[in-house]
Amino acid sequence: IPWGRGVGKSYFLRTVWYLLVAQWDGVERQASNGERIRGVRIVHLMPTFKQCVDIHGKLTQEELYFGKWKFLGGRINRTRWSIDFPGGSWIQFFGTSEANNNRGIRCDVVTEDEADDIEPGVDAAIVTPFLSEPWSLQIKLRGGTPRRGRNGLLYSGHKAALDKTPRFHSFHATYRDAPAQVSREYVEGVRATTDPVVFQREWECNFDSAEGMVYSMFDHALHVREPPQNARWTEFLVGVDHGYEDPGVFILFGVQGNGRDAVCWALDEVYQKHQTPSWWMAQAKRF
């Protein structure tokens, strides 16, 4: 669910939990090892455990204790932030560090909120095996905004759906698709005072909003400084990127100070296409 701000990702994720519990709580399934499993087992993952609690904790309590999902009979352990249901179902909150410490856990469903802030390696090495049992329901639901452009978890799943990979589904949505929840007039006002790259990423859920950009708001007058004239350099470093059709690059850095107090200044740069090794050797000698 690559959805822009305000559409209701977090609410939708919780609704999926409750619907699955309503469907499966108390229902027994036979595992191939002879074990009988009751209910549905759900892991909810965010970059940090604190984010899970801050975003979902209070709302989950209200929905399960006082709202329309009270009939499910969920009981919340606020220390572990686990939710147990009478028919054997459970929901467990994890940050990525907690998930790493619980690699042996197995479940039926994984929901990932702010998925692009979760390292792809964590998802592949730790989270994916959570669903590896043959009798698992093997449902994974990702939500968020594209902070990593086309290099994050959100786009990888979205692209798989666009490529019609079996069992992958994606629905892109923005504030325009949720007029009952988001004031379009308000968001248009936000647009007028928000950096276009940030607006495209957060509100339009545009995967290309910051693709390839290091500083999307680079200002030469603000970000470029000359080194002090009396600088004493501790050492010099040269960064090198070899290329011919794509440019080759040398960047000369002067380092002031040592350790945590060191400051690096970019002093010179060579950036050229279609140059021979002998030409680059001459530049290296000049440096």
Side-chain angles (χ1 to χ4, degrees):
I1 49 171
W3 294 358
R5 294 296 171 196
V7 178
K9 293 183 297 293
S10 299
Y11 174 81
F12 182 78
L13 290 172
R14 293 195 305 276
T15 301
V16 169
W17 301 344
Y18 306 146
L19 288 170
L20 287 168
V21 171
Q23 178 181 359
W24 288 99
D25 199 44
V27 177
E28 287 195 349
R29 287 173 286 148
Q30 179 74 47
S32 58
N33 62 1
E35 181 183 354
R36 301 195 69 83
I37 297 168
R38 294 176 69 242
V40 62
R41 305 160 297 170
I42 301 171
V43 166
H44 179 59
L45 183 72
M46 294 192 71
T48 68
F49 183 74
K50 185 177 186 298
Q51 283 177 294
C52 286
V53 176
D54 289 348
I55 293 174
H56 294 278
K58 183 177 180 181
L59 292 169
T60 300
Q61 290 183 73
E62 292 175 354
E63 290 159 352
L64 287 176
Y65 286 173
F66 310 107
K68 66 180 180 180
W69 301 104
K70 182 179 178 180
F71 76 93
L72 294 175
R75 288 294 173 261
I76 301 171
N77 181 323
R78 294 179 184 82
T79 302
R80 296 179 58 250
W81 273 99
S82 60
I83 308 166
D84 294 306
F85 297 89
S89 300
W90 51 261
I91 302 168
Q92 176 66 60
F93 289 3
F94 281 149
T96 53
S97 62
E98 287 76 23
N100 186 52
N101 293 332
N102 289 271
R103 286 173 175 250
I105 199 169
R106 295 295 179 265
C107 63
D108 299 296
V109 182
V110 174
T111 57
E112 296 174 320
D113 200 357
E114 299 301 346
D116 264 14
D117 289 333
I118 298 170
E119 289 292 334
V122 170
D123 178 79
I126 300 173
V127 180
T128 297
F130 286 177
L131 302 169
S132 60
E133 293 172 330
W135 51 88
S136 168
L137 298 179
Q138 297 176 347
I139 297 171
K140 184 184 287 186
L141 181 60
R142 290 176 181 159
T145 48
R147 296 181 182 274
R148 296 181 186 231
R150 297 188 178 220
N151 299 306
L153 288 175
L154 197 63
Y155 183 75
S156 68
H158 180 64
K159 185 177 186 301
L162 294 179
D163 292 341
K164 301 188 184 304
T165 305
R167 296 191 65 195
F168 279 80
H169 308 275
S170 182
F171 181 77
H172 183 277
T174 73
Y175 64 95
R176 296 182 187 85
D177 300 302
Q181 290 137 248
V182 190
S183 165
R184 185 165 182 170
E185 292 77 12
Y186 173 80
V187 177
E188 291 302 328
V190 169
R191 181 198 295 271
T193 58
T194 303
D195 177 83
V197 170
V198 175
F199 187 89
Q200 284 288 315
R201 184 186 69 221
E202 298 294 325
W203 291 96
E204 302 281 4
C205 198
N206 182 348
F207 288 103
D208 298 319
S209 60
E211 187 73 10
M213 302 182 77
V214 179
Y215 291 107
S216 60
M217 297 170 280
F218 184 80
D219 182 344
H220 190 279
L222 176 64
H223 294 116
V224 177
R225 293 285 186 272
E226 294 293 331
Q229 292 184 350
N230 62 346
R232 298 185 63 181
W233 305 111
T234 308
E235 61 179 328
F236 294 96
L237 307 172
V238 181
V240 180
D241 187 8
H242 297 281
Y244 185 80
E245 195 59 46
D246 292 326
V249 184
F250 282 178
I251 303 181
L252 175 66
F253 295 94
V255 182
Q256 280 185 289
N258 297 279
R260 291 180 178 271
D261 297 324
V263 178
C264 294
W265 296 85
L267 303 175
D268 198 356
E269 179 183 45
V270 180
Y271 181 93
Q272 291 290 335
K273 287 186 174 184
H274 305 153
Q275 296 296 339
T276 64
S278 60
W279 188 90
W280 284 106
M281 288 170 66
Q283 303 306 309
K285 290 177 179 178
R286 180 174 68 82
F287 274 11

